[in-house]
Amino acid sequence: MLPDNPRMPAYGIDPLFAARWSPRAFDGSSIDLEALLPLFEAARWAPSAYNVQPWRFVYALRDTDQWASLLDTLVPFNRSWAASASALVYIVSDRFSRDSEGRSKGESYSHSFDAGAAWAQLALQAVRNGLLAHAMTGFDHDAARAALRLSQDYRIETAVAIGRVADPRTQEGSLRALSGRRPLEELVYEGNLGTD
């Protein structure tokens, strides 16, 4: 975490929300599975339509046999900075609602939305535990599907780099930037969006 984090909310919210950001400067340290399990546990408690919990997580810890196979699925730019993360996680969602025996009952309208809720809870728990997580869609989708051994029943939502943040001032250009947020006036509308 940065002590001089310039991200200031316009309204009173829990500081955890503004403390969550997506670094591209990790310190290269290792973590064990015990450090990841609370993040997955927080994600497990996310809400989902009909409580189907469509999210799945595939992870690799640095310095393990699985690390290279997940790292190699990232586009070169993301691979360049994610290589110093402590863990890589792919979040995928089951596209179908299923019966108690695993048979499809039809496509789920909200599988991606629900997996996004799980991602948000994972990211916030990471902050609470002294880690940060950076989600990205810059990966080779075919290579990732092959590496994860996924059937077409599953959609790859995002890849996530997790670790302890390094001083971003040691990075160049866009790698060190902290992102701001649009003002609420650009995001919140009463009654309708008015884009028709």
Side-chain angles (χ1 to χ4, degrees):
M1 205 62 47
L2 290 181
D4 56 346
N5 186 348
R7 300 175 66 171
M8 298 299 297
Y11 295 90
I13 60 173
D14 190 293
L16 181 66
F17 295 100
R20 190 227 53 86
W21 61 289
S22 301
R24 290 191 181 105
F26 292 102
D27 71 1
S29 63
S30 295
I31 60 174
D32 59 20
L33 179 57
E34 292 302 312
L36 276 186
L37 290 176
L39 281 59
F40 296 142
E41 180 68 12
R44 184 171 78 98
W45 290 96
S48 65
Y50 302 102
N51 195 31
V52 299
Q53 304 164 44
W55 47 79
R56 304 292 184 270
F57 307 98
V58 179
Y59 73 91
L61 300 171
R62 74 177 301 104
D63 305 322
T64 65
D65 293 341
Q66 295 80 23
W67 179 256
S69 68
L70 295 194
L71 184 65
D72 289 347
T73 64
L74 303 179
V75 298
F77 173 74
N78 285 341
R79 192 178 319 128
S80 71
W81 58 263
S84 63
S86 303
L88 292 173
V89 175
Y90 267 94
I91 301 176
V92 302
S93 63
D94 187 342
R95 295 174 38 237
F96 298 94
S97 296
R98 299 188 183 274
D99 66 19
S100 61
E101 295 182 15
R103 292 182 299 248
S104 171
K105 298 191 304 182
E107 191 152 2
S108 167
Y109 181 81
S110 63
H111 64 93
S112 288
F113 180 82
D114 296 341
W119 145 248
Q121 293 194 187
L122 182 152
L124 293 171
Q125 187 64 48
V127 172
R128 183 70 77 207
N129 292 13
L131 301 169
L132 284 172
H134 184 136
M136 59 198 126
T137 56
F139 56 87
D140 180 318
H141 292 250
D142 293 333
R145 184 168 290 284
L148 302 176
R149 298 177 56 194
L150 286 183
S151 75
Q152 293 300 317
D153 284 3
Y154 291 86
R155 182 180 192 278
I156 302 174
E157 302 295 346
T158 191
V160 182
I162 299 171
R164 295 179 188 91
V165 69
D167 185 344
R169 292 171 288 202
T170 64
Q171 302 293 312
E172 295 184 20
S174 67
L175 292 181
R176 71 170 170 240
L178 284 174
S179 60
R181 288 293 180 264
R182 292 180 178 193
L184 279 181
E185 295 77 25
E186 293 181 16
L187 304 171
V188 179
Y189 299 83
E190 184 176 9
N192 65 75
L193 196 58
T195 59
D196 58 357

